[in-house]
Amino acid sequence: MNNHTTVPYFLLLGFSKNRRLQLLHFFVFFVLYLTTIMANLLIILAVALNNQLHSPMYWFLMNLAVQDLGSVSVIVPKSMVNSLMDTRYISYSGCVAQVFIFISFAASDLSLLTVMAYDRYVAICYPLHYEMVMNWNACNKIMILVWATSLFYGTMHTIGTFSILFCSNVVNQFFCEIPQLLKLSCSGFNLIELGVLMASVLAGIGCFNFIIASYIMIFKVMLRIPSEQGRQKALSTCVPHFIVVSMFLLTGYFAYLRPPSNTPSYLDFGVTVLYSLLPPLFNPIIYSMRNKNIRLVLSKQWKF
């Protein structure tokens, strides 16, 4: 398809022609996907069904779980089905849908993690003002803003990506990843997508700096507690969150900003897994399962 400017479908990354390796890929992704689905569903059900968890913090956690479910569900099942059926096919419209939905969920994920950092900052550093600042009216407006801006961001990325002319339909990744699609362009880099990417970099850096600043302030306040337990709580609160956000952003920047290779590589695959599959798995563990109230609710309702 080297001389064509339009493509009716795309061919995703084929992990191997060996049937056993294809089945191994299916099994690994199935276990990873099932674990992610179960962990996030537990959080959603725990918050939705228990009145004790009907507060802004847990409302944000439930929305984070919904976003994580959406981001993995739009990319992993198709890859598993392709390995199981020994095919690489994805329709043009399916590829467009993957880009739009995945990018929208990824953007909402980062936005919500930033909001959650601010929520914890207000709760710990200004506890007397928390109910006034983070009331239900404010939380609902925040979530509407998060979803609206994320959908707009996903729309702009999708328009910028698919307004180019494609000279090939071979995508060297297990889903329709934007950098891999852009390298198939016949007409060079698209100015719309360039503008969106630059805005993404600035927004990501801004969110990351805000999260770091929030955790530093939380860390300082918690260190004032005159006990070893207080310092340990500060470390256990800030460090895991920082690791997850750093992994998500740094690997995402690496995947989207570095020039994509012309051939599939283990590096490209590994980096994509780090920013697309692992955060949705780790988020419920880092942000929810370590929460005492959620663990108590889960233990009561499901006898964990």
Side-chain angles (χ1 to χ4, degrees):
M1 303 187 65
N2 290 333
N3 295 322
H4 291 259
T5 56
T6 58
V7 295
Y9 61 89
F10 292 94
L11 297 176
L12 299 177
L13 178 67
F15 289 92
S16 174
K17 295 182 179 180
N18 186 298
R19 188 57 182 162
R20 291 184 178 179
L21 292 179
Q22 290 175 347
L23 294 176
L24 176 62
H25 161 251
F26 169 81
F27 177 75
V28 171
F29 267 42
F30 176 76
V31 171
L32 184 63
Y33 180 62
L34 184 62
T35 306
T36 303
I37 292 295
M38 292 298 295
N40 285 285
L41 276 179
L42 285 175
I43 303 306
I44 294 171
L45 292 174
V47 176
L49 299 179
N50 196 285
N51 292 330
Q52 294 178 350
L53 302 182
H54 289 179
S55 65
M57 181 181 72
Y58 298 109
W59 168 242
F60 291 143
L61 287 175
M62 186 177 75
N63 275 272
L64 182 66
V66 171
Q67 292 165 359
D68 287 337
L69 278 179
S71 64
V72 294
S73 295
V74 76
I75 59 175
V76 176
K78 180 60 178 176
S79 181
M80 292 192 302
V81 169
N82 280 0
S83 290
L84 192 62
M85 303 299 293
D86 190 19
T87 183
R88 300 170 58 190
Y89 172 87
I90 184 172
S91 66
Y92 186 92
S93 58
C95 194
V96 173
Q98 273 198 345
V99 169
F100 171 70
I101 299 174
F102 177 76
I103 292 297
S104 297
F105 275 122
S108 62
D109 222 42
L110 179 59
S111 300
L112 189 52
L113 289 174
T114 306
V115 171
M116 288 168 61
Y118 177 72
D119 174 74
R120 291 299 84 205
Y121 163 74
V122 176
I124 294 174
C125 299
Y126 300 97
L128 298 180
H129 298 85
Y130 180 76
E131 291 187 2
M132 181 180 65
V133 175
M134 301 302 292
N135 55 67
W136 278 111
N137 184 45
C139 291
N140 288 330
K141 288 181 179 179
I142 288 172
M143 285 311 309
I144 292 173
L145 182 62
V146 166
W147 284 109
T149 54
S150 300
L151 290 173
F152 175 76
Y153 177 76
T155 300
M156 294 305 297
H157 252 310
T158 306
I159 293 173
T161 301
F162 290 96
S163 61
I164 66 176
L165 300 176
F166 295 102
C167 287
S168 173
N169 68 339
V170 179
V171 181
N172 292 326
Q173 196 51 265
F174 67 92
F175 71 98
C176 288
E177 187 184 45
I178 289 178
Q180 298 296 333
L181 290 169
L182 292 179
K183 80 171 188 177
L184 307 180
S185 171
C186 302
S187 53
F189 211 88
N190 185 279
L191 291 179
I192 298 176
E193 184 61 17
L194 178 61
V196 176
L197 282 175
M198 294 305 298
S200 303
V201 171
L202 295 177
I205 292 175
C207 290
F208 186 59
N209 288 337
F210 185 88
I211 291 171
I212 291 177
S214 299
Y215 286 153
I216 288 175
M217 297 302 296
I218 293 171
F219 190 73
K220 287 182 178 179
V221 170
M222 297 183 75
L223 282 181
R224 293 172 188 167
I225 301 174
S227 67
E228 182 67 23
Q229 183 181 4
R231 288 188 289 272
Q232 290 178 354
K233 186 176 181 180
L235 288 172
S236 65
T237 299
C238 300
V239 173
H241 298 186
F242 175 76
I243 291 173
V244 172
V245 174
S246 298
M247 179 178 65
F248 176 69
L249 281 176
L250 295 178
T251 54
Y253 281 153
F254 186 80
Y256 278 71
L257 297 182
R258 84 181 189 96
S261 58
N262 293 323
T263 57
S265 70
Y266 290 114
L267 179 61
D268 289 334
F269 174 73
V271 167
T272 300
V273 168
L274 284 176
Y275 83 81
S276 64
L277 301 187
L278 294 189
L281 174 61
F282 290 153
N283 280 341
I285 299 173
I286 296 298
Y287 290 94
S288 301
M289 296 298 188
R290 296 170 66 252
N291 183 284
K292 181 176 66 176
N293 292 333
I294 288 184
R295 290 203 310 269
L296 182 61
V297 168
L298 290 176
S299 64
K300 287 182 178 179
Q301 293 189 357
W302 288 284
K303 307 301 180 183
F304 286 167

